[in-house]
């Protein structure tokens, strides 16, 4: 277990998605904890970009028509949304708060659908606005800096007015304020008598090392050193390593989050922000205005029930003690007398059952998407390959789809198709089109002109030429395109968990939130297995239908 | 009428380049006519206008006594065998499937198709076991024989050969010439042969059409052309081709 979990999470997600910077900004940049990686200024730019992209899709660019067709085909898959849908972002605290709300609502007799682990603030917020979820835990500071364009202070009239104009409502804060903090080792604090940040001024010998973002942000090191007149200098260091360095005694002060469970584990002391420099990040349920008043009333019972310290403990129980979210949330609710001492409301599923369920969902997502892309892609290629301008147009269009980062494409699906499997399948379908269409068109137009002439000259009709000569000659490349589409789809489908589609991405997303490698592997290994199986499957198909000397997969000897 | 193929004032251009300008030419039924000329003389273009792979820009081509049927080109072409330089065998089909493709499309029974393939391959001197191989597993000479077999499958009335015997060593070519002559004795057909090899023309053809730069310099029986070149140009061309 490495300290500084949440911050590392966001990095890992980035590596996992391998998406360009835009995707990170769009979807992963603005969560709380480690996700607070952007300056407000940049956030709003990202927000504008997202809005523009959304608008583009709404206006029918980038294959919305195709997507609509598929939605019609896949309509029956859309789930009815009778129960209350509770969402969360992809870090432990968000899961815990969401689970607390879910269990409370269940205890009050409501049916709850848990859609946890949305990929970042924008995706989660978008899901709420689109009505795909009814509530999720958000932070006042994130709303102020990332969601609301006015940037109004939490508690101000302008803040409330803008929230209302978005059709949303903020309920009572849970009580905890997960803001930035400066922290030192307990022993150091005792030895030097440190309690507040102002106390640091008298100890210029203290060595500061802060996380890279904190080192650069105006509400980080530059701001705080000026506000408090700190005499020390600081350097940037990876957050997890900073904790290590503190333990080794190589570093005296670093930045942290107030509710970080690791603070308990390492006996780090938080220095009071006595000048109130850091902005507040109060956690609260963000809901749709249309939510029934009695439901809001139930959730308001959670107001002020969670202190920073208690939240820190709950986070630690999940990330260090390895207890489940449900377990920790249930215990908290019983302890506060918010629910009766009932048994755990959710039956715990076994590893094998989860694995099978997730794999089935994963296969369904990719299978339907690739099959639809195959039918439509090959059809499209056949229809246009005789015309160069048309072929070029189709290739550009499908290529354009491919340039949209996968996480962004998934996010863009939410306003059109809600959350869950339907938008995921449509996004995967759009992604699968390019390799299939490109390979099929290229193969068809590069068939040896002599063979084309002979096929026509010896008396084959157009359809016979296609069926007996052009298509068989194009088949190796067509299959290669399908194969690429399938493998990419299986990989990309792990991201579908970010929009509540389930599949093998689910344990990965949860595992990332918990820094739990075992959980991550429960999704990653089967996903890799599926990709391998797809490779082998297509190789068998190729062996069956393509003569050995024409196999595209055969490497040159 | 003895003319199975007639070019009537045919013009053909490729972009700005005129290949033929109001060309008239008759090709007689039952003979083997060789179109000879240097490369660029238009002989291959002429051949491809017979089965409609290329369409004239002016004038018309009549085959079997009428213009090419526009909507029914596929059926029309099945009456005309077609074999090309480099053989044009389909690499994804085994030899028997290459030869038998048109028979299959015509709905022939397996037995009928198999019998016909045996008949043709025997005439062309192809060993039976070769028919289960793919084209790339055969030598260049063997592939050329397969090309002839495929073109002859449906017993066409006309056989169009576009330099089908080029690119093999002289010994192999001599043998293929013999086999081809044997096939022609067994199954007589009107042949139009494009070649730049005068010896091949003299060996296989009874009629000779000498082309130069899109013009017919002379069209007559082989012997007559060889013995009495109509023009200086023909004589010079002969020297060059020999």
């Amino acid at each position: 277990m490495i300290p500084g979990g949440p911050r590392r999470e966001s990095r890992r997600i980035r590596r996992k998605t391998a998406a360009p910077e835009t995707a990170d900004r769009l979807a992963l940049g603005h969560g709380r904890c480690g996700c607070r990686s952007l300056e407000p200024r940049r956030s709003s730019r990202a927000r504008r970009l997202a809005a523009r992209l959304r608008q583009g899709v709404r206006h029918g660019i980038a294959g919305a028509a195709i997507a609509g067709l598929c939605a019609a085909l896949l309509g029956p898959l859309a789930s009815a949304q009778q129960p209350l849908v509770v969402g969360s972002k992809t870090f432990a605290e968000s899961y815990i708060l969401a689970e607390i709300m879910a269990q409370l609502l269940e205890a009050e007799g409501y049916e709850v659908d848990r859609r946890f682990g949305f990929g970042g603030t924008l995706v989660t917020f978008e899901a709420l606005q689109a009505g795909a979820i009814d509530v999720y835990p958000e932070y006042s500071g994130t709303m102020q800096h990332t969601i609301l364009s006015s940037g109004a202070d939490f508690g101000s009239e302008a803040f409330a007015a803008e929230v209302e104009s978005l059709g949303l409502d903020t309920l009572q804060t849970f009580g905890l304020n997960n803001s930035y903090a400066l922290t030192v080792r307990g022993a150091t604090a005792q030895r030097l008598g440190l309690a507040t940040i102002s106390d640091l001024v008298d100890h210029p010998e203290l060595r500061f090392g802060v996380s890279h973002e904190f080192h650069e942000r105006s509400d980080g090191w530059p701001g705080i050193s000026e506000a408090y007149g700190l005499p020390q200098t600081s350097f940037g260091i990876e957050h997890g390593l900073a904790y290590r360095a503190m333990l080794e005694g190589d570093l005296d002060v670093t930045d942290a989050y107030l509710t970080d469970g690791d603070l308990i584990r390492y006996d780090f002391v938080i220095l009071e922000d006595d000048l109130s420099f850091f902005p507040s990040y109060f956690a609260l349920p963000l809901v749709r205005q249309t939510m029934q008043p009695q439901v809001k009333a139930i959730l308001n019972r959670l107001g002020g029930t969670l202190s920073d310290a208690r939240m820190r403990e709950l986070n630690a129980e999940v990330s260090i003690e390895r207890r489940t979210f449900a377990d920790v949330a249930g215990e908290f609710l019983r302890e506060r007398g918010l629910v009766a001492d009932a048994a755990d409301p959710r039956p715990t599923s076994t590893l094998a059952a989860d694995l099978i369920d997730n794999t089935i969902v994963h296969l369904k997502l990719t299978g339907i998407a690739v099959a639809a892309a195959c039918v439509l892609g090959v059809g499209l290629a056949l229809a246009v390959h005789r015309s160069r301008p048309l072929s070029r147009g189709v290739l550009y269009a499908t290529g354009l789809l491919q340039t949209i980062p996968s996480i962004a494409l998934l996010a863009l699906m939410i306003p059109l198709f809600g959350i869950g499997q339907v938008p995921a399948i449509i996004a995967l379908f759009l992604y699968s089109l390019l390799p299939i269409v490109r390979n099929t068109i290229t193969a068809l137009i590069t068939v040896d002109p002599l063979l084309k002439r002979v096929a026509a000259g010896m008396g084959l009709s157009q359809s016979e030429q296609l069926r007996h000569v052009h298509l068989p000659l194009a088949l190796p490349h067509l299959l290669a395109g399908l194969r690429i589409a399938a493998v990419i789809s299986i990989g990309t489908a792990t991201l579908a968990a970010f929009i509540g589609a389930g599949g093998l991405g689910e344990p990965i997303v949860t595992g990332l939130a918990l820094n739990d490698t075992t959980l991550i592997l429960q999704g990653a290994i089967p996903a890799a297995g599926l990709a391998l199986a797809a490779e082998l499957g297509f190789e068998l198909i190729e062996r069956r239908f393509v003569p050995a000397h024409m196999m595209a997969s055969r490497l040159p000897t | 009428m003895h003319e199975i193929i007639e070019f009537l004032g045919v013009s053909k251009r490729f972009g700005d380049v005129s290949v033929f300008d109001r060309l008239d030419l008759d090709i007689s039924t039952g003979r083997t006519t060789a179109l000879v000329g240097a490369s660029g003389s238009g002989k291959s273009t002429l051949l491809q206008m017979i089965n409609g792979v290329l369409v004239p820009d002016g004038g018309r081509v009549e085959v079997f006594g009428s213009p090419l049927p526009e909507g029914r080109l596929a059926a029309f072409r099945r009456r005309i065998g077609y074999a090309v330089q480099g053989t044009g065998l389909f690499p994804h089909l085994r030899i028997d499937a290459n030869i038998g493709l048109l028979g299959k499309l015509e709905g022939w029974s397996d037995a009928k198709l198999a019998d016909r393939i045996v008949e043709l391959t025997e005439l062309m001197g192809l060993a039976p076991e070769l028919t289960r191989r793919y084209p790339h597993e055969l030598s260049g000479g063997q592939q050329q024989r397969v090309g002839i077999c495929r073109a002859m499958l449906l017993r066409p009335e006309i056989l169009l050969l576009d330099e089908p015997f080029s690119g093999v060593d002289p010994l192999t070519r001599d043998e293929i010439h013999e086999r081809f002559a044997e096939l022609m004795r067994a199954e007589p057909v009107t042949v139009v042969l494009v070649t730049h090899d005068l010896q091949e023309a003299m060996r296989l053809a009874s009629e000779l059409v000498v082309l130069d730069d899109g013009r017919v310099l002379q069209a007559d029986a082989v012997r007559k052309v060889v013995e009495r070149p109509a023009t200086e140009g023909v004589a010079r061309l002969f020297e060059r081709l020999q």
Side-chain angles (χ1 to χ4, degrees):
Chain A
M1 184 60 202
I2 301 154
R7 196 162 290 245
R8 293 178 56 80
E9 277 154 34
S10 76
R11 293 228 176 87
R12 275 211 219 160
I13 293 171
R14 283 170 202 197
R15 237 181 286 134
K16 180 87 193 162
T17 59
E21 198 192 357
T22 318
D24 294 333
R25 287 205 212 159
L26 277 175
L28 300 167
H30 328 292
R32 279 294 298 134
C33 294
C35 309
R36 205 179 357 160
S37 59
L38 296 172
E39 308 257 352
R41 186 167 38 84
R42 298 177 73 195
S43 307
S44 68
R45 200 193 309 150
R47 195 151 13 112
R48 277 198 301 277
L49 176 62
R52 224 178 299 139
L53 279 171
R54 277 198 299 275
Q55 214 175 13
V57 175
R58 281 198 188 108
H59 288 169
I61 304 169
I66 299 168
L69 180 76
C70 294
L73 292 172
L74 301 169
L77 285 171
S79 54
Q81 287 176 7
Q82 286 293 344
L84 288 166
V85 188
V86 180
S88 86
K89 299 187 200 174
T90 54
F91 50 90
E93 188 168 295
S94 193
Y95 280 98
I96 294 171
L97 292 173
E99 182 63 34
I100 286 173
M101 293 192 284
Q103 285 192 22
L104 180 61
L105 291 169
E106 278 173 340
E108 295 296 326
Y110 288 92
E111 199 187 328
V112 172
D113 186 359
R114 289 169 173 77
R115 296 295 184 97
F116 295 172
F118 281 97
T121 298
L122 276 173
V123 174
T124 326
F125 179 72
E126 192 60 66
L128 182 71
Q129 263 212 312
I133 56 175
D134 296 306
V135 55
Y136 79 93
E138 188 50 280
Y139 297 88
S140 59
T142 305
M143 293 185 70
Q144 182 183 344
H145 295 303
T146 307
I147 294 175
L148 303 183
S149 54
S150 68
D153 284 337
F154 177 60
S156 70
E157 268 181 39
F159 185 98
E162 195 176 355
V163 170
E164 197 183 339
S165 74
L166 292 168
L168 304 178
D169 202 354
T170 51
L171 301 186
Q172 301 246 331
T173 60
F174 293 105
L176 64 101
N177 172 18
N178 185 5
S179 185
Y180 266 129
L182 290 185
T183 183
V184 294
R185 287 174 71 189
T188 313
Q190 212 164 12
R191 183 163 51 84
L192 302 175
L194 300 175
T196 66
I197 295 178
S198 293
D199 293 340
L200 293 170
V201 178
D202 301 330
H203 299 281
E205 77 283 5
L206 290 175
R207 292 156 299 173
F208 279 58
V210 296
S211 58
H212 294 287
E213 294 151 20
F214 188 85
H215 192 251
E216 301 303 323
R217 288 172 65 121
S218 60
D219 57 345
W221 174 251
I224 199 161
S225 62
E226 194 188 324
Y228 282 91
L230 296 176
Q232 300 89 346
T233 56
S234 172
F235 62 91
I237 180 172
E238 203 275 332
H239 193 61
L241 291 179
Y243 279 9
R244 284 270 153 84
M246 293 263 287
L247 293 172
E248 305 279 329
D250 295 332
L251 205 62
D252 298 312
V253 186
T254 191
D255 61 306
Y257 301 107
L258 283 175
T259 58
D260 187 346
D262 281 332
L263 296 174
I264 295 175
R265 170 156 49 167
Y266 298 127
D267 184 30
F268 290 163
V269 169
I270 285 168
L271 299 175
E272 192 198 329
D273 179 15
D274 49 325
L275 297 183
S276 296
F277 170 78
F278 292 122
S280 300
Y281 280 79
F282 292 110
L284 51 85
L286 186 59
V287 303
R288 294 167 59 74
Q289 259 165 27
T290 50
M291 178 179 265
Q292 292 173 319
Q294 59 267 38
V295 179
K296 288 184 187 174
I298 293 167
L299 291 175
N300 272 334
R301 282 185 222 158
L302 293 167
T305 54
L306 258 168
S307 66
D308 295 355
R310 186 70 186 108
M311 189 71 237
R312 214 175 294 146
E313 283 167 18
L314 297 185
N315 282 336
E317 276 171 42
V318 167
S319 64
I320 299 165
E321 306 296 326
R322 292 266 172 260
R323 293 176 62 191
T324 64
F325 300 124
D327 204 8
V328 170
E331 188 181 86
F332 166 77
L333 286 169
R334 285 191 292 277
E335 148 201 311
R336 300 291 307 194
L338 288 162
V339 301
D341 288 345
D344 192 336
R346 292 186 83 192
T348 43
S349 46
T350 65
L351 172 67
D354 274 351
L355 191 69
I356 291 168
D357 284 353
N358 288 335
T359 307
I360 289 172
V361 171
H362 208 85
L363 280 174
K364 181 179 161 192
L365 295 177
T366 50
I368 295 176
V370 175
C374 176
V375 171
L376 209 101
V378 174
L380 205 60
L382 286 175
V384 302
H385 79 277
R386 286 181 200 279
S387 153
R388 293 232 168 213
L390 272 180
S391 299
R392 208 168 286 151
V394 167
L395 285 181
Y396 284 159
T398 51
L400 197 69
L401 287 174
Q402 206 75 13
T403 62
I404 305 175
S406 36
I407 190 77
L409 185 64
L410 287 167
L412 293 175
M413 289 294 131
I414 294 177
L416 291 165
F417 306 107
I419 55 171
Q421 297 185 358
V422 174
I425 288 172
I426 292 167
L428 292 174
F429 160 80
L430 293 175
Y431 259 130
S432 304
L433 273 180
L434 179 71
I436 295 175
V437 171
R438 173 171 281 279
N439 273 30
T440 309
I441 288 182
T442 309
L444 284 173
I445 62 182
T446 52
V447 168
D448 183 351
L450 177 72
L451 296 181
K452 285 184 180 171
R453 170 152 62 93
V454 169
M458 66 192 274
L460 269 61
S461 68
Q462 292 258 354
S463 61
E464 286 166 346
Q465 290 170 39
L466 207 57
R467 172 152 176 242
H468 295 283
V469 180
H470 300 188
L471 267 181
L473 289 174
L475 191 62
H477 286 100
L478 194 159
L479 283 176
L482 262 178
R483 192 167 167 162
I484 296 167
V487 172
I488 289 180
S489 249
I490 288 168
T492 310
T494 55
L495 295 176
F498 281 130
I499 59 168
L504 292 167
E506 198 146 291
I508 295 179
V509 166
T510 317
L512 285 169
L514 293 174
N515 237 336
D516 182 343
T517 315
T518 316
L519 204 51
I520 293 171
L521 291 178
Q522 279 172 30
I525 291 176
L530 279 187
L532 206 64
E535 279 280 351
L536 290 174
F538 276 103
E539 199 168 315
L540 287 179
I541 293 174
E542 197 177 22
R543 267 171 211 271
R544 170 72 185 75
F545 292 103
V546 178
H549 65 281
M550 290 176 64
M551 281 191 195
S553 64
R554 177 166 283 195
L555 298 172
T557 47
Chain B
M1 280 296 287
H2 295 290
E3 280 74 41
I4 194 167
I5 301 163
E6 289 176 281
F7 290 85
L8 303 162
V10 166
S11 301
K12 179 72 190 170
R13 319 174 59 83
F14 290 112
D16 289 339
V17 183
S18 171
V19 185
F20 294 109
D21 186 23
R22 283 167 304 202
L23 173 103
D24 293 302
L25 180 69
D26 299 336
I27 289 172
S28 310
T29 314
R31 309 262 176 84
T32 294
T33 304
L35 308 180
V36 297
S39 41
S41 60
K43 52 194 192 301
S44 184
T45 303
L46 206 58
L47 191 82
Q48 290 177 53
M49 287 194 285
I50 297 171
N51 63 359
V53 169
L54 293 176
V55 181
D57 298 314
R60 67 177 192 278
V61 181
E62 292 198 354
V63 181
F64 308 126
S66 53
L68 270 52
E70 259 177 55
R72 297 176 289 108
L73 267 183
F76 161 78
R77 284 168 176 162
R78 290 191 188 178
R79 298 170 67 190
I80 303 174
Y82 186 41
V84 298
Q85 180 180 14
T87 73
L89 297 181
F90 301 128
H92 61 290
L93 296 178
R94 294 179 195 273
I95 298 306
D96 51 1
N98 256 292
I99 298 175
L101 179 58
L102 283 176
K104 213 175 118 188
L105 296 178
E106 287 282 315
W108 287 12
S109 70
D110 289 350
K112 179 181 177 186
L113 198 57
D115 286 350
R116 179 63 177 151
I117 291 170
V118 168
E119 188 174 28
L120 285 167
T121 47
E122 270 181 7
L123 276 167
M124 285 307 289
L126 284 165
E129 67 269 17
L130 293 182
T131 59
R132 292 306 298 155
R133 297 197 187 159
Y134 284 102
H136 74 284
E137 297 169 314
L138 267 57
S139 71
Q142 287 168 332
Q143 290 183 30
Q144 293 181 339
R145 295 175 209 217
V146 174
I148 300 293
C149 291
R150 185 173 68 177
M152 288 295 287
L153 183 84
L154 299 182
R155 300 180 194 276
E157 294 151 74
I158 299 172
L159 180 59
L160 304 180
L161 303 177
D162 195 345
E163 307 218 18
F165 307 126
S166 63
V168 293
D169 63 273
L171 272 179
T172 309
R173 193 184 50 193
D174 286 350
E175 203 206 324
I176 296 177
H177 283 161
E178 261 168 48
R179 289 290 181 178
F180 179 71
E182 195 175 314
L183 175 63
M184 291 300 101
R185 278 192 293 278
E187 300 184 11
V189 59
T190 303
V191 179
V192 184
L193 165 71
V194 163
T195 180
H196 61 264
D197 176 353
L198 204 60
Q199 277 185 325
E200 182 171 88
M202 284 160 53
R203 195 156 178 185
L204 298 178
S206 58
E207 311 293 313
L208 212 52
V209 175
V210 185
L211 288 163
D212 187 41
D213 202 16
R215 282 168 301 123
V216 176
L217 297 182
Q218 194 172 7
D220 213 332
V222 173
R223 193 141 302 279
K224 285 188 186 169
V225 179
V226 174
E227 283 170 4
R228 285 193 297 279
T231 63
E232 277 292 303
V234 176
R236 267 206 308 279
L237 192 70
F238 272 23
E239 276 166 31
R240 226 165 68 216
L241 290 176
Q242 274 167 337

